[in-house]
Amino acid sequence: MNGLSTANLDAVDATKLTATQVAGLNTTAIGNLTTTQVGTLTAGQVARLSAAQIGQLTTTELTTLSTTQANALTATQIGTLTTTVLNNLTTTQAAALSTTQVQGLTTTQLNGLSTANLDSVAATKFATAQVAGLTTGTLNNLTTTQAAALVTTQVQALSTTQLNGLSTANLDRIDSTKLTSTQVAGLTTTAIGNLTTTQVSTLTAADVARLSAAQIGQLTTTELTTLSTTQANALTATQIGSLTTTVLNNLTTTQAVALSTTQVQGLTTAQLNGLSTANLDVIDTTKLTTTQVAGLNTTAISHLTTTQVGTLTAAQVARLSAAQIGQLTTTELTTLSTTQANALTAAQVGSLTTTVLNNLTTTQAAALSTTQVQGLTTTQLNGLSAANLDQLGAAKLTAAQVAGLNTTAIANLTTTQVSNLSAAQVGALSVAQVNTLSTTEIAAFTTTQARALTAAQVAGMSLANFDALTETTGIPSLSVRRSPGLPPRKSTP
């Protein structure tokens, strides 16, 4: 057969040849076959052709191969064809290749395919190993339909480099639910920024938990606001703590209110202070740590709602500074519970302005502990409203505090408060303070209080108060004359 002249060889009916005879034809003989002869080769004959033989077929002969003939090529035959031969196939022939034939192609062959022939192959026919071997150039030559058709195993075979090299058009057709969380974590900020809102919204909780702050920063406002509660709750405390205030303020109030305690406690002072009023106001303050509360600036404190202030724990209240407390509204102050008010330390109480103190209700003032009251300065005490001063309970004051009260404050003390003064407190009163007391209050002195009066206090006492003082035997100060020229006090008959 190989010795036949071209004329005689071309006269042979190729269908009469056996598959073995066809397989034995040398490349010269194969090259001398006519297009008609090649076109009549049976599937069995085609299956016996070597790569070298197929390489001798002209472009015309290749393009006229029927679907049956093209499908007769084995995976081994396909895998040995040159890219030139492959690219001489028509798009119809390429599209007709079976999955087995396509998976016989090497990475080199696939990457060498013309865009037209590559685009004709159904993407689902590629093996995962073949997909993993495609260059970014080849991947981007796929149509968006092919990209969208890639199955989960194929998508998960793509490397980070391949994914990040995808065109926006092809990346946007990848079903993000097919990506692994590792692949998502490996996407560059550019790739993340190219994802569609639908792709972002279908990321799994595991995917979201792997996103970096830089990646989250690439999400659009629309993408952030469409994150589901499940997705938002998947963010770790570390992720939350690394977000910019711009990103945080792009969250909806619904998303902000859904943040867990762990997530809220991942927020830094800078983040909390940078939150919009709308988002700050929906944060459950019980989720904040005492350190976070202490770190809120006066603006942030002033933006808290009455409900938020009302739910602060005793430990949180104890960390508030005077400046922070000063930002609380009258309504917020007056709605502080007894537990909250009692949580204020002596140092906190001692640093409050008289305005803040006078915004306390009389109930709150009355509930202040001895320790808290003794944290008040003389200035604070003298600046208290009569109503609040009257509720403090004079017995809670130190002798030094009593001694520091001005005459107005002394005059504002109730008879009950005066009658509850200890001996030490009475003894600390100045003459001016004693004379500010009413005759009713003086007359109500107990024996213990009267005995606590010093000679100087009695000597300087006004005649009216001196006369009001109940004589009690054994009180040496009462024998002291008020001043020269005054008769000694009448003794009780």
Side-chain angles (χ1 to χ4, degrees), residues 389-415:
L389 179 63
D390 290 349
Q391 292 298 319
L392 284 185
K396 296 176 182 177
L397 298 170
T398 65
Q401 284 177 309
V402 171
L405 295 177
N406 59 27
T407 53
T408 301
I410 289 290
N412 285 336
L413 294 177
T414 65
T415 301

Side-chain angles (χ1 to χ4, degrees), residues 13-32:
D13 182 352
T15 60
K16 296 178 179 179
L17 297 173
T18 66
T20 300
Q21 287 176 307
V22 172
L25 294 176
N26 60 29
T27 54
T28 301
I30 287 288
N32 288 333

Side-chain angles (χ1 to χ4, degrees), residues 213-233:
Q215 288 176 312
I216 296 172
Q218 290 300 308
L219 301 181
T220 65
T221 302
T222 302
E223 290 168 342
L224 277 170
T225 56
T226 54
L227 287 178
S228 67
T229 301
T230 301
Q231 289 176 307
N233 285 344

Side-chain angles (χ1 to χ4, degrees), residues 87-148:
N87 286 325
N88 280 335
L89 296 176
T90 65
T91 55
T92 301
Q93 291 171 317
L97 293 175
S98 68
T99 300
T100 300
Q101 289 174 312
V102 171
Q103 293 186 357
L105 294 169
T106 64
T107 301
T108 301
Q109 288 173 310
L110 284 170
N111 288 322
L113 283 180
S114 65
T115 302
N117 277 357
L118 177 68
D119 291 351
S120 298
V121 178
T124 54
K125 294 179 180 179
F126 296 130
T128 54
Q130 288 176 310
V131 172
L134 297 178
T135 63
T136 53
T138 300
L139 284 169
N140 285 324
N141 282 337
L142 295 177
T143 64
T144 54
T145 301
Q146 287 174 305

Side-chain angles (χ1 to χ4, degrees), residues 62-222:
L62 276 171
T63 56
T64 55
L65 286 176
S66 68
T67 300
T68 301
Q69 288 175 307
N71 284 345
L73 293 169
T74 65
T76 302
Q77 285 175 303
I78 290 287
T80 59
L81 300 180
T82 65
T83 53
T84 301
V85 170
L86 286 169
N87 286 325
N88 280 335
L89 296 176
T90 65
T91 55
T92 301
Q93 291 171 317
L97 293 175
S98 68
T99 300
T100 300
Q101 289 174 312
V102 171
Q103 293 186 357
L105 294 169
T106 64
T107 301
T108 301
Q109 288 173 310
L110 284 170
N111 288 322
L113 283 180
S114 65
T115 302
N117 277 357
L118 177 68
D119 291 351
S120 298
V121 178
T124 54
K125 294 179 180 179
F126 296 130
T128 54
Q130 288 176 310
V131 172
L134 297 178
T135 63
T136 53
T138 300
L139 284 169
N140 285 324
N141 282 337
L142 295 177
T143 64
T144 54
T145 301
Q146 287 174 305
L150 291 173
V151 298
T152 302
T153 53
Q154 291 174 314
V155 170
Q156 293 183 355
L158 294 170
S159 68
T160 302
T161 301
Q162 288 174 306
L163 285 168
N164 289 323
L166 284 178
S167 64
T168 303
N170 276 355
L171 177 64
D172 288 352
R173 296 305 299 275
I174 298 290
D175 180 350
S176 59
T177 62
K178 296 175 181 177
L179 296 169
T180 67
S181 55
T182 301
Q183 286 176 309
V184 172
L187 294 177
T188 62
T189 53
T190 300
I192 286 287
N194 287 336
L195 294 179
T196 65
T197 301
T198 300
Q199 287 175 306
V200 172
S201 68
T202 56
L203 290 174
T204 65
D207 293 335
V208 172
R210 293 292 299 276
L211 293 174
S212 68
Q215 288 176 312
I216 296 172
Q218 290 300 308
L219 301 181
T220 65
T221 302
T222 302

Side-chain angles (χ1 to χ4, degrees), residues 258-454:
L259 293 175
S260 68
T261 300
T262 301
Q263 289 175 310
V264 170
Q265 293 184 356
L267 293 169
T268 64
T269 300
Q271 288 174 310
L272 286 168
N273 289 325
L275 284 180
S276 64
T277 303
N279 276 357
L280 178 63
D281 288 353
V282 296
I283 297 290
D284 181 352
T285 49
T286 61
K287 295 177 181 177
L288 297 170
T289 65
T290 55
T291 301
Q292 286 176 310
V293 172
L296 295 177
N297 60 27
T298 53
T299 301
I301 286 287
S302 69
H303 287 162
L304 295 179
T305 65
T306 301
T307 300
Q308 287 176 304
V309 173
T311 57
L312 290 173
T313 65
Q316 289 172 323
V317 170
R319 292 294 300 277
L320 294 173
S321 67
Q324 289 176 310
I325 296 172
Q327 290 300 310
L328 301 181
T329 65
T330 302
T331 301
E332 290 168 342
L333 278 170
T334 56
T335 54
L336 287 178
S337 66
T338 301
T339 300
Q340 288 176 307
N342 285 344
L344 294 169
T345 64
Q348 283 176 303
V349 171
S351 62
L352 301 180
T353 64
T354 52
T355 301
V356 171
L357 287 169
N358 285 325
N359 279 337
L360 296 177
T361 64
T362 53
T363 301
Q364 291 171 316
L368 292 176
S369 67
T370 299
T371 301
Q372 289 174 311
V373 171
Q374 292 183 357
L376 294 169
T377 65
T378 301
T379 301
Q380 288 173 308
L381 287 167
N382 289 325
L384 283 179
S385 64
N388 277 357
L389 179 63
D390 290 349
Q391 292 298 319
L392 284 185
K396 296 176 182 177
L397 298 170
T398 65
Q401 284 177 309
V402 171
L405 295 177
N406 59 27
T407 53
T408 301
I410 289 290
N412 285 336
L413 294 177
T414 65
T415 301
T416 300
Q417 286 177 304
V418 173
S419 66
N420 287 330
L421 291 174
S422 67
Q425 290 172 318
V426 170
L429 292 171
S430 67
V431 172
Q433 288 175 312
V434 171
N435 286 329
T436 301
L437 297 175
S438 68
T439 55
T440 301
E441 291 167 337
I442 290 292
F445 265 25
T446 64
T447 301
T448 301
Q449 287 176 309
R451 286 179 179 277
L453 289 168
T454 65

